[in-house]
């Protein structure tokens, strides 16, 4: 029913516009409040190119690699800086405007991460980038609720095995969303509860990553996330 209350979606749009108000590379359609209610949402009409329409981007003189870099930068800011993210990044909701500006549409699905969760998540990504299993284990447990601490040796062994799959691959071959998904499900195996918002965030990142790789096959999400 929350998807039906369109006044909620209007406030999501306005919050999102506010957090990117200083970023000229983000466009958020303006809400026409006088023409909107809980049942009707009236927005500024936005004409742009679907983010996955590579032929149309080229025809318009736009570089798909710049679009990939901007999408990644925007999403990393949503997740790690603002803690409020657009959770439905399918290409029809992301339009590219002249000058590689990205317009975000459809705020029916959004996610929130509180400050502690964002900081801990940043530690998880850092530990991944540094291939530091002990730090990875600690920060993962800090993200979760445990009824009892998992058996440390078994937990670390699983962590080491997962890291081993990636250890010798160059970072640009890593899929951040996929790795986080594997980490969360491995953590869940040890009867550690992961907040639902994190799963939504990982699903969002995974979707976004497949789009950025369509736009730029060499795109490296882990390095983009490092700063």
């Amino acid at each position: 029913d929350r998807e039906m209350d369109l006044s909620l979606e209007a406030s999501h749009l306005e919050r999102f516009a506010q957090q990117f108000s200083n970023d000229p590379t983000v466009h958020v359609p303006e809400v026409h409040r006088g023409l909107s209610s809980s049942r009707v949402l009236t927005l500024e009409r936005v004409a742009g190119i679907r983010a996955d329409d590579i032929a149309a981007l080229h025809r318009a003189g736009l570089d798909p690699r710049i679009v990939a870099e901007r999408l990644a930068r925007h999403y990393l800011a949503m997740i790690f800086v603002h803690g409020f993210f657009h959770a439905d990044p399918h290409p029809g909701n992301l339009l590219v405007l002249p000058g590689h500006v990205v317009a975000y549409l459809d705020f029916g699905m959004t996610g929130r991460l509180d400050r502690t969760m964002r900081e801990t998540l940043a530690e998880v990504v850092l530990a991944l980038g540094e291939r530091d299993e002990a730090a990875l284990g600690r920060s993962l447990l800090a993200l979760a609720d445990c009824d009892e601490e998992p058996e440390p040796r078994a937990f670390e062994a699983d962590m080491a095995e997962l890291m081993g799959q990636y250890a010798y691959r160059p970072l640009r071959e890593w899929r951040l969303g996929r790795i986080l998904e594997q980490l969360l499900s491995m953590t869940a195996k040890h009867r550690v509860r992961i907040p639902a918002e994190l799963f939504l965030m990982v699903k969002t990142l995974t979707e976004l990553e497949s789009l950025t790789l369509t736009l730029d096959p060499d795109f490296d999400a882990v390095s983009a996330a490092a700063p």
Side-chain angles (χ1 to χ4, degrees):
D1 194 48
R2 274 178 54 188
E3 286 230 7
M4 275 313 298
D5 182 4
L6 295 173
S7 59
L8 191 64
E9 187 172 339
S11 53
H12 289 165
L13 267 149
E14 288 172 338
R15 173 174 178 178
F16 191 83
Q18 178 62 43
Q19 71 190 26
F20 283 105
S21 58
N22 294 327
D23 188 338
T25 66
V26 174
H27 181 81
V28 185
E30 197 179 335
V31 178
H32 294 295
R33 280 286 187 183
L35 302 170
S36 299
S37 67
S38 64
R39 291 278 173 227
V40 180
L41 179 60
T42 310
L43 301 177
E44 163 202 359
R45 188 189 179 105
V46 179
I49 299 167
R50 264 179 70 107
D52 63 346
D53 191 341
I54 291 183
L57 289 171
H58 282 307
R59 281 198 302 275
L62 296 166
D63 182 345
R65 288 170 311 189
I66 295 176
V67 178
E69 183 275 322
R70 291 204 169 160
L71 283 167
R73 188 165 55 75
H74 298 162
Y75 264 92
L76 290 166
M78 292 177 218
I79 290 167
F80 290 108
V81 181
H82 305 295
F84 177 71
F85 59 95
H86 178 289
D88 194 8
H90 88 78
N93 289 338
L94 307 166
L95 298 182
V96 185
L97 313 182
H100 302 93
V101 172
V102 181
Y104 287 84
L105 312 178
D106 190 357
F107 284 79
M109 253 170 49
T110 55
R112 285 181 173 73
L113 299 168
D114 66 35
R115 185 182 178 126
T116 311
M117 216 184 279
R118 299 199 297 276
E119 287 173 356
T120 313
L121 197 57
E123 283 163 19
V124 168
V125 176
L126 269 174
L128 272 174
E130 290 167 2
R131 299 170 165 84
D132 180 339
E133 288 150 27
L136 185 59
R138 280 195 308 275
S139 41
L140 270 175
L141 288 178
L143 275 178
D145 301 318
C146 325
D147 296 327
E148 51 193 281
E149 287 281 308
E151 206 283 297
R153 297 247 287 284
F155 188 68
E156 274 169 36
D158 273 357
M159 197 74 65
E161 188 192 334
L162 181 67
M163 290 299 281
Q165 293 176 31
Y166 294 95
Y168 300 104
R169 292 192 208 173
L171 282 180
R172 63 184 160 69
E173 286 179 21
W174 289 30
R175 302 290 165 260
L176 189 55
R178 175 88 191 95
I179 296 173
L180 289 170
E181 197 180 330
Q182 286 177 289
L183 280 172
L184 293 186
S185 53
M186 191 208 75
T187 309
K189 187 184 103 176
H190 289 271
R191 293 206 299 274
V192 172
R193 279 193 309 276
I194 297 289
E197 292 289 327
L198 277 180
F199 281 106
L200 180 63
M201 185 275 300
V202 168
K203 180 183 146 303
T204 302
L205 258 188
T206 307
E207 252 179 274
L208 178 78
E209 220 165 358
S210 75
L211 173 59
T212 50
L213 287 164
T214 304
L215 292 163
D216 179 0
D218 293 324
F219 191 76
D220 167 1
V222 181
S223 297

